[in-house]
Amino acid sequence: MLFTSTFVTATRRTALAAALVTLMAGCATVATPVSVADTIAADPALSTLSGLIQTAGLTDTLKGPGPFTVLAPTNDAFKAVPAKTLEALGKDPVALKGVLTYHVISAKTLAADVKNGKVKTVNGADIDLNKAGDFVTVGENAIVTKADIAASNGVVHVIDAVLLPPVKK
């Protein structure tokens, strides 16, 4: 009986040790950041933006070296845009690209680094970024709802509104 009890205890210890090694190995695995394009594509709440990035032919650019800061509107933000506006953008690839690049800054800007004032976007127009404590706003009506999503070539900030660039004169 002593042999059986010792054998069972040793077997349990071995199984426990194997389980601990497996768990520790899993903990040692660190997710490697992916590009801003892939980061956006991986988030179901940003699927509309991801599809529009593909339609506009910006995927390869946003997988490039960067650095980029993407102000990423959620699917709900796109639902708030008038249907006629979205339809017009769908028919005008140049205008769509202009709107999407208005959401991109060609620098890595973490929420903690935001300074109140204008910042030039990739489309060439300026946008207002403002910060009060940890609260960041973009333009007149967008709020950063999730900040500092790390990517290999920049950072993504989720926002609650679609930004429309000023009309060029």
Side-chain angles (χ1 to χ4, degrees):
M1 192 63 138
L2 180 61
F3 174 75
T4 305
S5 177
T6 304
F7 178 74
V8 169
T9 302
T11 303
R12 286 184 180 155
R13 284 185 188 149
T14 303
L16 181 59
L20 286 172
V21 168
T22 302
L23 283 173
M24 288 172 55
C27 291
T29 304
V30 176
T32 304
V34 295
S35 70
V36 292
D38 291 331
T39 299
I40 291 165
D43 188 336
L46 302 176
S47 62
T48 302
L49 176 62
S50 182
L52 292 172
I53 288 170
Q54 290 174 354
T55 299
L58 293 171
T59 303
D60 288 342
T61 300
L62 293 176
K63 286 185 177 189
F68 302 108
T69 297
V70 178
L71 305 165
T74 62
N75 296 342
D76 287 340
F78 278 102
K79 288 178 186 172
V81 175
K84 286 184 178 183
T85 303
L86 282 179
E87 187 178 318
L89 288 172
K91 294 177 181 176
D92 186 349
V94 173
L96 176 59
K97 199 172 203 174
V99 168
L100 294 177
T101 57
Y102 189 60
H103 290 79
V104 181
I105 300 164
S106 61
K108 182 178 179 180
T109 306
L110 298 174
D113 300 331
V114 169
K115 306 257 187 286
N116 293 344
K118 295 192 180 298
V119 176
K120 186 149 309 283
T121 65
V122 170
N123 98 344
D126 289 337
I127 194 157
D128 287 321
L129 291 181
N130 292 292
K131 181 177 152 193
D134 292 337
F135 189 70
V136 178
T137 60
V138 184
E140 294 179 16
N141 61 351
I143 298 169
V144 174
T145 58
K146 187 174 181 184
D148 299 338
I149 303 168
S152 61
N153 60 347
V155 65
V156 175
H157 301 295
V158 177
I159 60 174
D160 66 351
V162 175
L163 310 169
L164 297 176
V167 178
K168 295 180 182 180
K169 297 177 182 184

